[in-house]
Amino acid sequence: MRNTWGVRASTCSCPQASPPDPWTISGPRRKVTWHTEALVDLVERTAPAELVEEIDPAALEDADLLDVIRETRPDLLRRSVRKAFIKKLDEALSDDGHLTDHSTGEVVKVADVDHTPVTGAFTFTPGDRAEEAVLEAWHRGELAGVASPLVPQIERTPEPAPTDEPTGTLPPGGQS
């Protein structure tokens, strides 16, 4: 709808909603992939105070380095459980956050589990032709029964009036 009719935002009338809920159709997003080495070189020359030094996480797999840290700066070490193992433990976690210590049989509280009520909120990842398919179904009237509680109040953006004026520019040496 954004590309076809110029609709950027609207409201939907729902019997239970007062006032109508606004919705927005997102425009194109900008995705940046930084070239880290070139960026660091540039910032080193132009704004060196903005550089930070970080330890490569792979260095923390080095047993010798960990021994040095344990001996000289044990305050820098924190213990945690690997995320993959936490996922595995989650399958055995009780609804009230307990796990069983199989070495002793003791039941230990290791988490708080929040049971949130169903709100109707959802996310949607469209397929390749999703927008086109929905618009086609809408125009054919196939969504009338499904979408009747949600009637968008769409105002089309008028098409620009045709003109005989050229809209582009010719490259140098170009002919009209």
Side-chain angles (χ1 to χ4, degrees):
M1 289 189 324
R2 181 183 180 98
N3 294 340
T4 305
W5 299 320
V7 175
R8 287 182 170 70
S10 186
T11 56
C12 289
S13 299
C14 300
Q16 299 84 2
S18 176
D21 294 325
W23 52 270
T24 302
I25 301 172
S26 300
R29 291 200 169 106
R30 182 172 170 238
K31 180 179 185 253
V32 176
T33 303
W34 293 100
H35 301 272
T36 305
E37 191 174 320
L39 179 64
V40 168
D41 288 344
L42 173 70
V43 173
E44 188 171 39
R45 290 189 308 273
T46 60
E50 298 302 324
L51 288 176
V52 293
E53 290 183 325
E54 298 174 335
I55 296 175
D56 183 343
L60 299 177
E61 300 296 320
D62 183 327
D64 293 336
L65 177 60
L66 288 174
D67 286 342
V68 169
I69 294 172
R70 269 189 210 95
E71 291 171 15
T72 60
R73 293 293 309 270
D75 58 302
L76 297 178
L77 291 177
R78 279 180 251 127
R79 293 173 44 163
S80 63
V81 179
R82 289 188 176 119
K83 291 184 189 309
F85 192 65
I86 289 175
K87 261 186 163 176
K88 186 176 178 180
L89 292 174
D90 186 43
E91 295 171 11
L93 188 67
S94 69
D95 280 344
D96 59 353
H98 289 84
L99 285 173
T100 302
D101 179 342
H102 293 292
S103 65
T104 65
E106 179 186 5
V107 177
V108 182
K109 174 95 169 162
V110 295
D112 291 321
V113 179
D114 220 3
H115 297 279
T116 57
V118 175
T119 64
F122 66 94
T123 58
F124 173 69
T125 304
D128 294 338
R129 287 192 60 246
E131 180 180 356
E132 183 181 341
V134 169
L135 287 174
E136 287 173 3
W138 187 315
H139 290 293
R140 288 190 305 265
E142 295 173 4
L143 299 178
V146 176
S148 58
L150 302 171
V151 181
Q153 301 163 3
I154 299 173
E155 293 181 21
R156 291 186 180 205
T157 303
E159 295 289 327
T163 176
D164 290 333
E165 295 296 316
T167 56
T169 58
L170 296 174
Q175 298 178 352
S176 56

